[in-house]
């Protein structure tokens, strides 16, 4: 799943969580849950899409954090960070040649993916609905 969609789901989870620690933990859980839902994935174009998606996701995270009311900003940010944390293995492998996580966790993370190169339109729909939900729930 695109990291931008993990950012959106993490923001929603963070807005609904009682505090930053639970928001982070629920964000991580939301990541693995969404990875089991059929989504876009394409070995041939992964890196090109991942660079654009990473930048869009980072911009979304910054914009959401900056526009979230101060009373809920910490838990929204924690939810987004938790929701993105499991995918830090990808840039880590590119830049440092290895994942920061145990091999068994990475193997399981790869096994739960249900990817197809034909599902990019679905990712765009999920991102759009996510942005609308974030605007309503997070920014109030
Ligand atoms: Zn993942």
């Amino acid at each position: 799943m695109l990291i931008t969609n993990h950012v959106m789901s993490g923001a929603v989870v963070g807005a609904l969580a009682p505090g930053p620690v639970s928001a982070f933990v629920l964000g991580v859980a939301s990541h693995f849950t969404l990875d089991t839902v059929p989504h876009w994935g394409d070995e041939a174009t992964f890196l090109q899409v991942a660079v654009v998606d990473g930048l869009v996701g980072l911009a979304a995270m910054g914009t959401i954090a900056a526009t979230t009311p101060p009373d809920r900003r910490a838990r929204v940010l924690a939810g987004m960070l938790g929701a993105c944390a499991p995918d830090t293995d990808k840039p880590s492998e590119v830049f440092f040649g290895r994942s920061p996580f145990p091999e068994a966790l990475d193997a399981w993370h790869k096994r739960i993916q249900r990817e197809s190169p034909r599902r990019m339109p679905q990712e765009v729909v999920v991102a759009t609905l996510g942005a609308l939900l974030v605007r309503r729930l997070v920014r109030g």
Side-chain angles (χ1 to χ4, degrees):
M1 180 156 292
L2 295 180
I3 201 71
T4 301
N5 286 332
H6 287 301
V7 168
M8 300 297 173
S9 65
V12 170
V13 162
L16 299 173
V21 174
S22 59
F24 186 87
V25 171
L26 290 169
V28 171
S30 80
H31 181 101
F32 292 121
T33 302
L34 286 179
D35 272 359
T36 66
V37 174
H39 58 275
W40 174 85
D42 183 6
E43 292 281 325
T45 61
F46 175 78
L47 200 55
Q48 295 96 312
V49 173
V51 169
V52 174
D53 177 40
L55 293 172
V56 170
L58 198 59
M61 193 183 286
T63 302
I64 292 167
T67 58
T68 298
D71 63 315
R72 63 181 88 153
R73 185 172 296 140
R75 54 195 162 100
V76 167
L77 189 58
M80 293 189 290
L81 291 173
C84 294
D87 273 351
T88 54
D89 61 331
K90 278 91 176 168
S92 180
E93 283 168 6
V94 170
F95 293 116
F96 307 114
R98 64 179 302 271
S99 166
F101 305 121
E103 247 174 70
L105 178 62
D106 285 337
W108 176 76
H109 191 180
K110 285 186 177 87
R111 247 192 341 268
I112 64 170
Q113 305 295 321
R114 297 177 62 199
E115 298 178 336
S116 163
R118 294 186 312 270
R119 295 195 185 114
M120 185 53 87
Q122 172 191 318
E123 295 277 351
V124 174
V125 169
V126 170
T128 304
L129 293 175
L132 292 172
L133 199 58
V134 165
R135 189 184 164 117
R136 181 162 177 79
L137 278 178
V138 177
R139 296 164 71 181

